[in-house]
Amino acid sequence: MSVAGRTVLVTGAGRGIGRAEALHLAAAGANVVVNDPGVEIDGRGGDAGVADAVVAEIRALGGRAVADTGNVADWEDAGRMVARAVDEFGDLHVVVNNAATEVNKGMERLAEDEFDDVVAVKLKGTFAVSHHAARHWRARFEAGERTDRAIVNTASGSGLLNPLPTQSNYAAANAAVAAMTTVHALELRRFGVRVNCVSPSMVRTRLTAGVPGERMTGPDVVAPVVTYLAGDGCPLTGQVLSVRGTSVAVNRGWSLGPRVESDEPWTVDALADAFDTVGVEVVDPFDALTTALGGALGLSRREDVEAVVNAQLDLPQN
């Protein structure tokens, strides 16, 4: 399995995880399109120098790369970055959808545009770039070309295993990207396209600069997983891989737990009795959050985690 000679478009590649991925792919011999408009964490502003700097790093090490500053949430920009990859390197083999922004607020304080903008970059942006790549790949396939192609999406532990308070927009968009991964793996298999997803957590980047915890790792831990998924001959498709430090786990998605059944339509009382009988275990979300993040926060009691969350949300303490 190799990415040597393959052309890879990495979105959000100017900093953090995306930059680490772009550098790792280039070092492994890939031609890299470094997409990043250079915006702030919340999506404001823009600086073309951010993408240019990564391209300069790659070229200084003998790699091949070009910069792109398009906005993944802009339909036309998404099409242009795919076309740029083809024009510059002759083809596009892999898309790594990494771009994301964040605006963290409790749901009652989160404005409409703050919700829409985060979802637009993460969810619509992932779809838009994948859509234009898929159109190119379908045309090549129908012309008789048979080449391994791949999409590597990026979700987050926040959207899958431990949704975090203040991240209604970010968690929802990342969970949707994971769901979309499976759909696209089913749709694009007929064109020889594999679709997988990485879900990093506890990675120190601009987006997690304010998150406490000594167990945070650098973004480099994600890059080898992405290069593996991007490689010609990788057998995986339709998978969501959680990456935490040196641990890589295959997610099983939503899974069924205990169930109750009836030969007749349920009544409220009958349903209540049935659930009492099977003893359905109710997991308090703060217990789950304590298990997921308590160690990193140095907290072992659910009450302490809840107090930290409430303070962050600016809610009164009980």
Side-chain angles (χ1 to χ4, degrees):
M1 290 173 287
S2 173
V3 295
R6 287 161 71 79
T7 298
V8 185
L9 165 60
V10 185
T11 70
R15 303 181 177 99
I17 292 174
R19 172 182 170 274
E21 292 167 345
L23 291 172
H24 195 276
L25 286 159
N31 309 313
V32 182
V33 179
V34 178
N35 162 260
D36 201 306
V39 297
E40 299 299 322
I41 293 174
D42 60 3
R44 294 179 298 176
D47 180 1
V50 172
D52 288 337
V54 178
V55 170
E57 284 186 81
I58 291 172
R59 290 178 176 173
L61 295 171
R64 302 181 68 198
V66 294
D68 179 271
T69 57
N71 174 9
V72 295
D74 183 290
W75 198 256
E76 300 302 323
D77 276 7
R80 279 190 287 268
M81 64 185 72
V82 169
R84 179 162 179 73
V86 177
D87 292 343
E88 186 73 26
F89 299 114
D91 201 354
L92 173 64
H93 301 91
V94 183
V95 168
V96 178
N97 288 305
N98 170 75
T101 58
E102 274 193 16
V103 177
N104 294 336
K105 293 182 181 179
M107 64 175 296
E108 79 281 5
R109 294 187 290 121
L110 191 66
E112 180 181 10
D113 62 333
E114 294 170 333
F115 183 90
D116 288 347
D117 291 348
V118 170
V119 173
V121 172
K122 172 51 65 175
L123 181 55
K124 180 185 175 182
T126 294
F127 178 80
V129 179
S130 298
H131 163 84
H132 288 289
R135 288 181 62 87
H136 167 70
W137 292 334
R138 176 170 185 161
R140 288 291 182 100
F141 185 87
E142 291 177 344
E145 191 172 292
R146 300 293 182 268
T147 302
D148 178 89
R149 316 278 190 177
I151 295 173
V152 183
N153 293 327
T154 308
S156 170
S158 174
L160 302 181
L161 303 177
N162 47 280
L164 298 174
T166 74
Q167 293 195 344
S168 296
N169 46 9
Y170 186 75
N174 278 288
V177 165
M180 197 162 62
T181 296
T182 305
V183 174
H184 291 174
L186 294 168
E187 292 183 0
L188 298 180
R189 184 192 293 268
R190 68 198 195 279
F191 304 134
V193 181
R194 298 176 294 100
V195 187
N196 292 289
C197 180
V198 293
S199 177
S201 62
M202 302 301 291
V203 176
R204 184 68 72 193
T205 67
R206 286 195 309 161
L207 272 61
T208 59
V211 177
E214 297 179 356
R215 298 183 183 179
M216 302 284 281
T217 59
D220 293 348
V221 299
V222 185
V225 183
V226 169
T227 299
Y228 164 71
L229 294 173
D232 184 0
C234 176
L236 301 186
T237 191
Q239 305 303 309
V240 179
L241 305 181
S242 285
V243 183
R244 186 168 183 173
T246 56
S247 172
V248 182
V250 178
N251 282 273
R252 296 303 185 194
W254 289 96
S255 58
L256 294 174
R259 73 178 68 196
V260 296
E261 298 180 356
S262 174
D263 295 331
E264 302 292 335
W266 286 105
T267 65
V268 173
D269 289 341
L271 195 58
D273 290 341
F275 273 118
D276 284 342
T277 300
V278 298
V280 174
E281 180 182 2
V282 177
V283 179
D284 186 290
F286 277 104
D287 289 335
L289 190 62
T290 300
T291 300
L293 297 179
L297 295 173
L299 304 172
S300 59
R301 299 194 314 151
R302 192 209 75 163
E303 293 80 2
D304 295 331
V305 172
E306 188 170 356
V308 169
V309 170
N310 285 344
Q312 184 178 4
L313 292 169
D314 196 27
L315 296 175
Q317 302 291 300
N318 294 325

